[in-house]
Amino acid sequence: MSVRILQIIFSVFLLLLVQELSAQGNQQTIRGTVLDSDTRQPLIGATVIVTNSDPLKGATADIDGNFTIEAVPTGRVDLQIRMLGYEEQILPNLLLNSAKELIVTVRMQESLVQLKEIEVKPEEKKGVVRNDMATLSARRISVEETSRIAGGINDPARMVSSFPGVAGDATGDNSIIARGNSPKGVLWRLEGIEIPNPNHFSDEGSTGGPINVLNSDMLDNSEFYTGAFAPEYGNALSAIFDMRLRDGNDKQREYTFKLGVLGTDLTAEGPIPGLKGGSYLANFRYSTLALLDGAGIVDYGGVPKYMDGSFKVKVPTSKNGTFSLFGLGGTSHIVDKDESDNGDTLFSRADFGSRIGVLGLTHTRTLGASGFVYSTVSVSGNSSATEYDESEVPGETPLTRYHTDELGKWTLRASTVVNNRLSAKHKLRSGIILSMEQFRMGSSSFDREVQRTVTELDTRGEATTVQAFTSWKWRMNEKLTMTSGVHLLYYALNGAASVEPRVGLKYQFHPGKALSIAGGLHSRTEAIMTYQAEAANDAGSTYRPNENLGLSKAVHAVIGYEQMLSEDIQFKMEAYYQHHFNVPVENDPNSSYSLTNYSGWFTTTPLVNKGVGRNYGVELSLEKFFTHGYHFMTTASLSDTRYKALDGVWRNSRFNMGLVANALAGKEWKIGSKDKVLTTSFRYSVLGGQYGTPIDLQASQAAGEEVAGGAPWSKKGDPIHKLDLMIAYRVGRAKVSHEIKADAQNVLNGSTRVYTYYDRRTGTIQGAPQLALLPVIMYTLRF
């Protein structure tokens, strides 16, 4: 089967490579809007030039800030944007495709020196985020950048594992381990507001999954933060993924069809008839393996079935600002069986399904020359259900229902952010965020000791979270900038509250060289399941041991240095320290149990907010941005992550991975013409092993369940090595482009154990290996 697939892939590549050179001379249109970054007002008269074009091509922004540059040769282009009184911008190495117009939105910063054009080094090459209140530990991610990183499989959440201080889950999903913190401290946002975990096959309390619900064709540039967050971000401890949906084409209809191992999908976009500037963008995807299974082409247990869709409708008005209606949804389901090789004996069966849905409305309205207001309201829902059956005596007794759960949550959120420019030097941004949750959750498991099913969760209710923030940016001069502010969080379920000051300072002491420092207090609520979990007291009565658990908190401090070694090569270094406190730990002076070592789910163990932790490390990166047809990046981080529970012993945390390093590079090769491009890339990653607790095999066999055989979290796993390779070939024609891409993870098929566990069926210690060789093949048609 695999040989035949490789033959088909080779044949398609050969067919594309031998096509005649009939695509020379393709041209396309570049359009966009130039806005003031602080007021969202159009910048009339701004000039946009395609650099190095011959003859020179450019345009001037009209009364609405819009510009159009027609008949631009396809391929890689650089745009230069200038406006009197504003800092110049360069948008480098944009990919102009023959099948799609290139549409950009440019937000320009007012210059501190008026009546003079200030030429600066092009910040757009540095992955600088749009949120100018962020000082450090921030990175912008473009969809195009994600598509050419080996092992990224068009998922921005997987690409961030290439950044310093960030590690992915080696077993295969896209969970994010940032600076040694548990993935459960990650916050996901879309269109400026928090959303549930946007991944298939995920449950309440987790933040990752094997496949992202959001298709990359829907996304605009995303922003990723790993510490010392800006004042507007709350309810996060480890990392923030802030995503935006792009606008659809408001002039003509365009389509993208993809057929690949991970899914078959169609994206459509175009103008709304009769509405100037209005557009729609929509996508639907279905599991390719599920389609093949339904057609009888593949036949094996555990076929993952999923589908998802998303959309955005932009509605500008002449007097009331711009409205955007957006949404996403997805369902996933899998049945996994553990049976004998001949299929005669069934040892266990797991049935799992999950759903997510988000519907939102945004409104942007300018306040003239003083600022703008951005508001969002959304309703979201996420749910999951599990049924797990297992033999009491493996292979000898009928299956028994050992676990079942059904978790559901619906949330209404609303936020308003007001951005005020007091002057070229001073800016204020303030906002309020309201979240109202309704939940219904149940979970029960079979207790072998008492030989009966025990209810661990049976609840329904509501929980309200109120957040507010204000931040101030002071550009003291062209070299020195300070941001400061405060974030407030109140959790009405148990009355927990936090007041969180933040501050950042950046000193651009030389062109291309900067020193920065930032710090602040941060907090996060736990999963609702943790607060509502049930246990029995000594009298046999049911109670909720953790309903009054407070917020987990951490102080972040970061210092950073960055230098442009050349026009397209940047060196960065950041050193950080995080002091965690109010960490939930078991209420037992002899216990080492801490929630900091877990990435999801819940516990019925009685907890108190008396644990502490400390994370510190240094991160280095050397990056050549994509110019002259190639790019590369090397990153390395060395960290130490420890915690202390009520037993008073400082221990390694589970995610104390130590060294995490990456080396990646990519190259575009023009074949015959600029509309025939071969892209190759690789990524080699080294992840320090996670910590675990040794298992006593003999004691586990006697007890019929896992029994610890050493000090908690004292056994470090082996380092994990992974090589990813990607090759893609793109052919452009007038109004049409084709691309075939092969993205293979773990090419060397490494099988290092990520963690170990006791297998009750076999009576042995087993290991969960890193994800095996996974070739992801995809064909893309744009028209």
Side-chain angles (χ1 to χ4, degrees):
M1 181 70 177
S2 60
V3 174
R4 178 165 294 182
I5 292 175
L6 290 174
Q7 290 175 337
I8 294 173
I9 295 169
F10 178 76
S11 300
V12 173
F13 265 93
L14 185 62
L15 178 63
L16 292 174
L17 284 169
V18 300
Q19 293 188 55
E20 297 180 2
L21 302 179
S22 58
Q24 296 193 32
N26 284 338
Q27 297 178 335
Q28 188 54 273
T29 298
I30 300 175
R31 296 192 295 109
T33 307
V34 185
L35 303 173
D36 184 302
S37 64
D38 292 331
T39 67
R40 298 296 192 266
Q41 286 190 310
L43 294 182
I44 304 169
T47 60
V48 184
I49 296 173
V50 181
T51 61
N52 300 320
S53 55
D54 187 18
L56 187 66
K57 291 184 176 293
T60 302
D62 62 18
I63 192 172
D64 296 316
N66 298 323
F67 68 89
T68 301
I69 308 174
E70 298 179 336
V72 181
T74 55
R76 295 282 177 179
V77 297
D78 296 347
L79 296 183
Q80 179 188 66
I81 304 96
R82 289 180 171 178
M83 178 70 184
L84 192 66
Y86 287 79
E87 296 178 352
E88 176 187 311
Q89 280 202 36
I90 301 291
L91 304 183
N93 284 286
L94 301 175
L95 179 59
L96 185 60
N97 191 295
S98 62
K100 292 179 66 66
E101 291 185 338
L102 178 60
I103 303 174
V104 298
T105 299
V106 183
R107 296 174 182 170
M108 303 192 73
Q109 179 71 49
E110 185 179 9
S111 171
L112 288 176
V113 181
Q114 297 297 311
L115 301 178
K116 179 182 178 182
E117 290 186 354
I118 304 299
E119 296 188 7
V120 297
K121 290 292 183 181
E123 292 292 318
E124 291 294 334
K125 289 188 176 182
K126 301 181 182 180
V128 174
V129 296
R130 283 185 174 179
N131 188 345
D132 59 353
M133 293 291 182
T135 304
L136 276 168
S137 305
R139 172 68 187 246
R140 188 192 62 199
I141 310 163
S142 71
V143 174
E144 190 275 328
E145 182 182 14
T146 302
S147 69
R148 51 181 162 82
I149 299 297
I153 58 176
N154 292 345
D155 183 354
R158 295 184 184 275
M159 182 199 164
V160 300
S161 62
S162 300
F163 298 159
V166 183
D169 186 336
T171 59
D173 76 14
N174 61 10
S175 295
I176 298 170
I177 302 170
R179 294 180 171 173
N181 289 294
S182 166
K184 69 185 180 69
V186 175
L187 173 70
W188 290 92
R189 286 167 46 112
L190 180 67
E191 295 294 287
I193 202 162
E194 182 179 349
I195 61 171
N197 178 1
N199 286 286
H200 287 297
F201 304 103
S202 62
D203 53 34
E204 172 68 14
S206 67
T207 60
I211 301 170
N212 202 304
V213 173
L214 266 173
N215 192 292
S216 61
D217 284 320
M218 297 292 296
L219 292 175
D220 198 351
N221 293 336
S222 302
E223 297 181 354
F224 184 67
Y225 305 86
T226 56
F229 311 128
E232 66 191 79
Y233 295 118
N235 201 25
L237 283 179
S238 63
I240 296 170
F241 219 123
D242 199 353
M243 303 178 293
R244 296 280 177 175
L245 297 174
R246 66 181 179 89
D247 295 332
N249 193 319
D250 62 347
K251 297 294 184 182
Q252 65 181 33
R253 290 188 294 273
E254 296 175 341
Y255 305 92
T256 300
F257 170 76
K258 289 184 177 180
L259 174 63
V261 173
L262 294 183
T264 301
D265 67 87
L266 177 67
T267 303
E269 59 185 292
I272 299 176
L275 181 62
K276 181 181 178 181
S279 66
Y280 68 87
L281 174 66
N283 170 271
F284 178 78
R285 175 175 58 178
Y286 197 85
S287 165
T288 301
L289 289 177
L291 290 173
L292 296 176
D293 179 60
I297 298 175
V298 298
D299 183 18
Y300 62 88
V303 173
K305 300 180 180 180
Y306 55 89
M307 63 179 178
D308 51 61
S310 51
F311 72 89
K312 181 179 182 180
V313 179
K314 180 182 178 182
V315 182
T317 66
S318 58
K319 296 182 180 180
N320 297 312
T322 299
F323 294 87
S324 291
L325 180 69
F326 68 94
L328 69 92
T331 65
S332 53
H333 180 246
I334 188 170
V335 176
D336 189 26
K337 298 179 181 179
D338 181 13
E339 53 190 0
S340 59
D341 294 337
N342 58 15
D344 292 340
T345 305
L346 180 63
F347 301 111
S348 65
R349 178 183 182 275
D351 187 327
F352 177 79
S354 66
R355 295 182 178 183
I356 176 181
V358 178
L359 180 65
L361 179 69
T362 70
H363 178 229
T364 304
R365 182 164 186 170
T366 182
L367 301 176
S370 62
F372 68 92
V373 178
Y374 181 81
S375 301
T376 307
V377 60
S378 71
V379 58
S380 64
N382 60 297
S383 64
S384 65
T386 307
E387 293 180 351
Y388 178 71
D389 302 327
E390 184 179 87
S391 297
E392 175 64 21
V393 179
E396 298 181 13
T397 57
L399 297 185
T400 299
R401 178 61 48 85
Y402 263 81
H403 177 80
T404 182
D405 64 65
E406 189 170 352
L407 313 171
K409 185 174 70 174
W410 302 264
T411 307
L412 175 65
R413 290 187 173 93
S415 71
T416 295
V417 177
V418 181
N419 194 88
N420 288 109
R421 182 171 63 196
L422 307 179
S423 67
K425 289 189 173 184
H426 298 280
K427 176 167 63 176
L428 292 177
R429 183 179 300 159
S430 303
I432 187 168
I433 307 163
L434 176 66
S435 301
M436 295 178 289
E437 298 175 322
Q438 298 281 338
F439 55 87
R440 184 175 60 199
M441 300 180 178
S443 177
S444 59
S445 299
F446 185 78
D447 190 322
R448 293 191 180 94
E449 184 176 347
V450 298
Q451 288 294 298
R452 64 180 177 84
T453 298
V454 176
T455 298
E456 304 157 322
L457 188 66
D458 184 13
T459 183
R460 62 188 305 165
E462 60 184 33
T464 300
T465 305
V466 180
Q467 300 177 70
F469 72 90
T470 187
S471 56
W472 167 44
K473 182 176 182 179
W474 178 19
R475 302 169 70 194
M476 305 178 194
N477 50 52
E478 292 179 287
K479 293 184 177 181
L480 194 59
T481 301
M482 184 182 75
T483 59
S484 60
V486 62
H487 188 100
L488 310 176
L489 188 151
Y490 174 74
Y491 192 43
L493 184 68
N494 54 20
S498 180
V499 180
E500 303 165 8
R502 320 270 176 87
V503 65
L505 188 67
K506 182 173 183 178
Y507 179 42
Q508 191 86 37
F509 60 90
H510 186 275
K513 298 179 181 180
L515 185 66
S516 304
I517 187 169
L521 176 63
H522 309 277
S523 65
R524 183 169 175 84
T525 59
E526 300 298 332
I528 288 178
M529 299 181 297
T530 300
Y531 299 110
Q532 300 293 301
E534 297 179 357
N537 58 22
D538 294 338
S541 300
T542 299
Y543 77 114
R544 293 173 179 163
N546 301 315
E547 60 182 350
N548 294 316
L549 200 64
L551 303 172
S552 299
K553 299 183 179 183
V555 175
H556 292 189
V558 188
I559 184 170
Y561 171 77
E562 62 183 68
Q563 178 179 350
M564 295 299 298
L565 303 180
S566 67
E567 186 180 21
D568 55 2
I569 298 180
Q570 183 187 54
F571 169 77
K572 292 185 71 174
M573 179 183 70
E574 289 191 5
Y576 66 89
Y577 181 85
Q578 298 179 355
H579 170 63
H580 293 258
F581 61 103
N582 274 28
V583 178
V585 296
E586 184 175 5
N587 190 17
D588 181 346
N590 299 312
S591 173
S592 63
Y593 184 91
S594 172
L595 283 191
T596 193
N597 294 313
Y598 299 89
S599 57
W601 204 233
F602 71 98
T603 180
T604 58
T605 301
L607 304 172
V608 290
N609 290 105
K610 294 184 179 181
V612 294
R614 61 185 183 218
N615 304 4
Y616 58 88
V618 61
E619 303 167 351
L620 306 172
S621 69
L622 180 67
E623 180 174 9
K624 180 193 177 297
F625 301 100
F626 192 94
T627 58
H628 309 297
Y630 73 100
H631 70 96
F632 66 77
M633 179 168 67
T634 59
T635 68
S637 60
L638 188 62
S639 62
D640 188 67
T641 307
R642 298 177 186 269
Y643 79 98
K644 184 172 67 173
L646 289 189
D647 63 357
V649 179
W650 281 100
R651 304 180 186 275
N652 291 292
S653 77
R654 172 185 172 182
F655 304 105
N656 187 9
M657 304 176 77
L659 176 66
V660 176
N662 294 274
L664 59 92
K667 170 70 175 174
E668 283 190 353
W669 314 80
K670 296 179 182 179
I671 301 177
S673 75
K674 64 175 61 179
D675 291 308
K676 295 185 177 182
V677 178
L678 180 69
T679 303
T680 59
S681 68
F682 80 89
R683 175 170 64 173
Y684 188 81
S685 303
V686 179
L687 285 71
Q690 298 183 16
Y691 276 88
T693 300
I695 300 172
D696 187 324
L697 178 58
Q698 292 183 343
S700 298
Q701 291 172 336
E705 60 183 8
E706 185 171 300
V707 176
W713 309 106
S714 61
K715 183 178 180 181
K716 186 170 179 60
D718 294 330
I720 295 169
H721 297 257
K722 185 167 73 82
L723 174 64
D724 303 329
L725 297 177
M726 188 274 289
I727 183 170
Y729 184 65
R730 184 178 70 249
V731 177
R733 298 287 184 265
K735 306 299 182 182
V736 178
S737 74
H738 307 264
E739 182 183 70
I740 185 166
K741 177 180 178 180
D743 192 351
Q745 295 193 59
N746 193 12
V747 173
L748 302 179
N749 203 26
S751 57
T752 304
R753 289 183 174 186
V754 179
Y755 60 87
T756 57
Y757 62 94
Y758 176 71
D759 187 332
R760 194 175 72 90
R761 179 173 71 83
T762 62
T764 59
I765 297 175
Q766 298 292 321
Q770 68 184 101
L771 182 67
L773 169 65
L774 176 63
V776 178
I777 315 300
M778 177 174 290
Y779 166 73
T780 302
L781 170 66
R782 302 186 189 276
F783 59 100

